[in-house]
Amino acid sequence: MIAYKLFKMKKKYPGQLFPLYVMANEPVPIGVWLPAKEGPRNKDGKVSSKLGPLAFRPGWHLSDIPLAIHIGQKENGKIKYMHDDEVWCECECSDAIDYQPEADAAGMRNGKFIPVKAMLTHIPEDGFYRYKTSPMMLGKWIIAGSMKVNRILPDNEVAQICKAAGYEALPRKTI
């Protein structure tokens, strides 16, 4: 399936893509299928990241459209702009197996569905499921067992894709 992922581009490594938070120093090549890896965990079982400890939800995190309204530069306490060193990429992710029933079953507690518990603690090999990591985010992440970056999207194409889905892309802050 086609999905989108936000990457960081570092001035020190021109043309290379890097994950935003987990394993953020490992470059991600374009045009190569990559299996997801588990990020390093701390003594509490959380994943180490640039943001600090995160819940353990292994897999590539992608989205249906190139828009993450909960990630970016804030102005007056609200995300308004994309970071200048981040780019959206068109990707393909594994979708042979739909792990959503397994993730949803993990969310059941005493006959009630608890959405924050509806996740896997293993990589969804050859497949994916969807999970909302933040109440501030639009939609849910696609968490996949493997992915391939097809290409870096220019900002005007990001805007067109978002507009076609009924949303406005986050702009970059101009000085």
Side-chain angles (χ1 to χ4, degrees):
M1 95 173 67
I2 296 295
Y4 302 92
K5 184 160 180 63
L6 190 59
F7 286 97
K8 186 169 287 294
M9 294 190 82
K10 301 177 181 182
K11 289 179 184 176
K12 187 176 177 181
Y13 303 101
Q16 291 190 37
L17 302 170
F18 293 88
L20 297 183
Y21 307 121
V22 178
M23 294 185 284
N25 293 321
E26 292 188 20
V28 175
I30 294 175
V32 178
W33 278 97
L34 299 169
K37 297 190 239 176
E38 294 183 2
R41 293 166 79 175
N42 66 21
K43 61 181 171 50
D44 297 324
K46 301 260 185 186
V47 175
S48 299
S49 84
K50 294 260 183 192
L51 293 175
L54 295 174
F56 182 67
R57 286 184 289 272
W60 291 107
H61 290 57
L62 304 105
S63 61
D64 289 304
I65 61 172
L67 181 61
I69 60 172
H70 63 296
I71 298 172
Q73 292 180 324
K74 289 184 179 182
E75 188 173 273
N76 299 321
K78 186 176 178 194
I79 302 287
K80 292 279 192 175
Y81 306 103
M82 278 186 66
H83 288 288
D84 286 336
D85 62 350
E86 293 176 356
V87 294
W88 280 102
C89 290
E90 177 194 83
C91 303
E92 292 178 59
C93 64
S94 54
D95 65 352
I97 301 170
D98 181 356
Y99 283 86
Q100 198 64 55
E102 182 182 344
D104 289 347
M108 294 302 293
R109 298 289 192 278
N110 299 320
K112 289 188 175 184
F113 182 68
I114 313 295
V116 298
K117 301 289 185 186
M119 62 184 186
L120 303 183
T121 55
H122 64 86
I123 293 171
E125 305 266 340
D126 298 321
F128 73 100
Y129 70 102
R130 294 173 186 273
Y131 184 82
K132 189 172 192 82
T133 58
S134 165
M136 303 299 291
M137 75 182 290
L138 182 68
K140 297 179 178 182
W141 288 123
I142 299 165
I143 301 180
S146 62
M147 93 163 171
K148 176 179 74 162
V149 176
N150 289 333
R151 63 194 177 98
I152 297 171
L153 295 173
D155 289 349
N156 65 333
E157 190 172 351
V158 168
Q160 290 170 355
I161 294 166
C162 289
K163 185 176 182 179
Y167 298 99
E168 193 171 318
L170 283 179
R172 295 187 190 275
K173 191 171 188 175
T174 55
I175 299 172

